[in-house]
Amino acid sequence: MGTEKHLIWLDCDFGTDDAAALLCAHGAASLEILGISTLAGNVEAHKTFRNALRLNRLLGADYPVYPGAEAPLVYPAEPGYRFHGENGLGGVELPLPDRWETPAEKAWDALYRTAAAHPGALELIATGPLTNVALALNLHPELQKLLRRIVIMGGAAVGGNKTPAAEFNIYSDPHAAKIVFEAGIPLTMCGLDVTNKAWFSETELARVGACGTPAARFFAESLKTPLQASGQGTVRLHDVTAVLFVSNPELFTGQLAGVRVETRSALTRGKTVTDLWSDQKFPSRNAFVVLGVDRPAFVRRVSELVCSLKAVEN
Ligand code: RIB
Ligand code: CA
């Protein structure tokens, strides 16, 4: 495993698995978080922004956090309270920092500024709807040449979790996703094909919580909400998969494919149509579709990362 340092930017709709993804990114020595942007998705934009600040405090970190889109480009936002609670953190109350303010700079401008300061090096990990990313590309077209790659949690070659055809993040803003998938930036899609295999059992969750630090206890407590909502006694760490794909790519398998996004159909809005298993192929293979994960190794690595987070007095 290399000692390469990845300069990353997290764009999240802090939800429970987004929060878990930030904990893992903070713990991974090979990842350097240059900034965090937030947007409406699992819960409203003002909550996801504050959740990022709350997580900064929990981690004893001071990552710059920038607010972004309050709604998708076209369709209305549809929060996911059932899986994330109304506060987005599974109902777990985390205090805000003693002093904080909302920066004047918006997500799309801060992302562009940071990418321009690190040309060809910044890796964008997006774990919510792609509204901020699409706006950044539209407002700053040269971003297309500045980003090293984009790794998303979103989509599915097969199935869906918002509808039988579509995954929540892409369903929420298919117009934004279409812009991103067609931008010509190296793109990795961690869709339901792999994230549905990246689950924790109740016992595995409790084992992390038993590490006893505030971050480990938060991880275990906040993920109880999606675990209970799943009705399967397990919780899928969808967003964590995108972060672990960057820190530990050896855990995953996948294939390059052509992927297009349906934006109009009432039945299949938000479907990521891939040509993985069809005779007819799209003209270009525009995304690496992640399909497999070594789940036991994933659980071990996530547990190790979360339990390594130092205790911070709350
Ligand atoms: O479909 C799962 C995705 O939707 C995750 O990113 C989760 O946080 C929600 O945003
Ligand atoms: Ca998310």
Side-chain angles (χ1 to χ4, degrees):
M1 203 158 50
T3 55
E4 178 187 7
K5 194 87 171 171
H6 297 267
L7 302 181
I8 67 169
W9 183 282
L10 296 175
D11 186 68
C12 307
D13 61 331
F14 289 104
T16 51
D17 56 334
D18 303 77
L22 173 54
L23 267 55
C24 290
H26 180 72
S30 64
L31 305 185
E32 183 178 345
I33 302 170
L34 295 190
I36 299 173
S37 49
T38 61
L39 76 165
N42 288 318
V43 293
E44 296 81 351
H46 69 278
K47 295 178 188 173
T48 63
F49 172 69
R50 283 164 180 74
N51 285 344
L53 301 179
R54 298 173 195 280
L55 291 162
N56 253 344
R57 187 186 191 283
L58 174 73
L59 294 169
D62 191 21
Y63 299 121
V65 181
Y66 299 91
E70 299 185 358
L73 296 181
V74 175
Y75 295 118
E78 295 179 30
Y81 296 147
R82 191 161 73 89
F83 278 83
H84 301 278
E86 293 215 5
N87 75 346
L89 298 178
V92 177
E93 293 300 331
L94 288 182
L96 281 161
D98 297 339
R99 280 183 307 285
W100 64 276
E101 60 185 16
T102 303
E105 192 174 22
K106 301 299 279 185
W108 37 85
D109 294 328
L111 169 59
Y112 166 67
R113 173 175 52 78
T114 306
H118 302 273
L122 187 66
E123 299 174 64
L124 169 59
I125 301 176
T127 63
L130 291 168
T131 318
N132 285 345
V133 184
L135 288 169
L137 288 166
N138 283 353
L139 290 166
H140 306 288
E142 55 278 40
L143 182 64
Q144 194 271 345
K145 293 181 180 52
L146 292 170
L147 286 173
R148 177 176 171 185
R149 64 172 168 176
I150 300 175
V151 179
I152 72 165
M153 188 281 136
V158 175
N161 62 0
K162 179 66 181 172
T163 72
E167 176 279 326
F168 176 85
N169 288 334
I170 310 300
Y171 172 90
S172 296
D173 198 338
H175 300 87
K178 176 178 171 59
I179 290 168
V180 176
F181 273 84
E182 295 177 2
I185 299 172
L187 177 66
T188 296
M189 177 178 120
C190 297
L192 298 178
D193 318 286
V194 64
T195 69
N196 280 348
K197 299 167 188 168
W199 51 267
F200 265 60
S201 68
E202 201 154 3
T203 305
E204 289 161 341
L205 212 48
R207 200 172 293 141
V208 173
C211 288
T213 62
R217 290 202 311 269
F218 165 79
F219 176 91
E221 195 57 34
S222 60
L223 289 167
K224 278 181 186 166
T225 296
L227 185 140
Q228 285 150 9
S230 78
Q232 297 164 351
T234 59
V235 54
R236 292 154 177 177
L237 297 195
H238 300 286
D239 295 339
V240 172
T241 304
V243 166
L244 267 285
F245 184 82
V246 178
S247 66
N248 294 89
E250 70 279 4
L251 303 182
F252 301 92
T253 59
Q255 264 181 262
L256 266 177
V259 185
R260 298 290 184 275
V261 181
E262 171 57 51
T263 58
R264 288 188 297 250
S265 157
L267 176 63
T268 56
R269 157 197 161 175
K271 178 162 187 57
T272 46
V273 180
T274 79
D275 61 9
L276 279 169
W277 297 295
S278 59
D279 299 339
Q280 288 303 314
K281 302 294 183 187
F282 288 122
S284 66
R285 295 191 298 179
N286 58 318
F288 182 82
V289 179
V290 186
L291 297 167
V293 61
D294 176 344
R295 193 192 81 85
F298 174 82
V299 169
R300 280 195 303 274
R301 182 61 177 144
V302 171
S303 303
E304 176 189 49
L305 285 170
V306 175
C307 288
S308 74
L309 298 174
K310 68 179 187 313
V312 174
E313 273 323 300
N314 266 329

